[in-house]
Amino acid sequence: MRSKAIVRTRCKRCGREILTAANASFANRPWYRRFGGICRSCLTEEEKRELSEWQVRETNLAARRFRFPSRIDWKTESFPPDEEAVLRFMAQRYFYTKQYISAAAVMDEFPDIDVADVLARLEEQGKIQALC
């Protein structure tokens, strides 16, 4: 597991000192882009509710495991770079471990892309299937 250094920063609204993780794997997630850098006391009740909903949805997604319902013909099929990277990672992980891949594992591997969006597109195309 990668260690994450704790850094001190200032709240964007009130200037109070807050602590956060440097190079956090969640830094590119929508909820962090919107609420990261704001202390808890500066969030409105509506923002706290919205933040909680985002985090619950993300936790639910992270727990999902995926399988491949059919073979992927890597020679004839083409995918956008983010989809191909995710598919190859999942296929390799499954090949070596014979365990279904969780969305959390994919999120950890690709912190700089919107994994939820990529997984949703791959599910719509029928390339992966959720096991829940």
Side-chain angles (χ1 to χ4, degrees), residues 66-84:
F66 297 90
R67 72 178 191 93
F68 297 96
S70 62
R71 288 187 162 269
I72 297 171
D73 186 352
W74 296 102
K75 292 179 183 176
T76 60
E77 294 188 64
S78 67
F79 301 96
D82 57 350
E83 289 180 12
E84 182 171 352

Side-chain angles (χ1 to χ4, degrees), residues 69-70 72 77-80 82-84 87 117-129:
S70 62
I72 297 171
E77 294 188 64
S78 67
F79 301 96
D82 57 350
E83 289 180 12
E84 182 171 352
L87 273 176
D117 182 54
V118 172
L119 293 174
R121 289 193 319 253
L122 291 170
E123 263 192 298
E124 287 172 8
Q125 296 171 30
K127 299 302 175 190
I128 61 173
Q129 185 178 50

Side-chain angles (χ1 to χ4, degrees), residues 30-128:
W31 61 266
Y32 188 80
R33 284 194 302 264
R34 181 155 177 216
F35 299 117
I38 301 172
C39 69
R40 189 91 176 146
S41 60
C42 286
L43 292 174
T44 66
E45 289 304 314
E46 177 65 22
E47 289 173 329
K48 288 177 185 177
R49 185 191 58 72
E50 188 176 345
L51 176 59
S52 293
E53 287 175 1
W54 262 338
Q55 291 172 330
V56 166
R57 281 193 302 269
E58 186 172 287
T59 300
N60 184 34
L61 171 65
R64 295 176 77 191
R65 293 193 175 273
F66 297 90
R67 72 178 191 93
F68 297 96
S70 62
R71 288 187 162 269
I72 297 171
D73 186 352
W74 296 102
K75 292 179 183 176
T76 60
E77 294 188 64
S78 67
F79 301 96
D82 57 350
E83 289 180 12
E84 182 171 352
V86 167
L87 273 176
R88 286 190 183 275
F89 168 75
M90 292 174 75
Q92 289 173 346
R93 179 69 68 92
Y94 182 77
F95 178 80
Y96 288 110
T97 66
K98 299 298 183 228
Q99 295 178 356
Y100 296 119
I101 310 308
S102 71
V106 180
M107 287 182 206
D108 287 344
E109 186 69 20
F110 300 99
D112 296 331
I113 65 173
D114 186 354
V115 170
D117 182 54
V118 172
L119 293 174
R121 289 193 319 253
L122 291 170
E123 263 192 298
E124 287 172 8
Q125 296 171 30
K127 299 302 175 190
I128 61 173

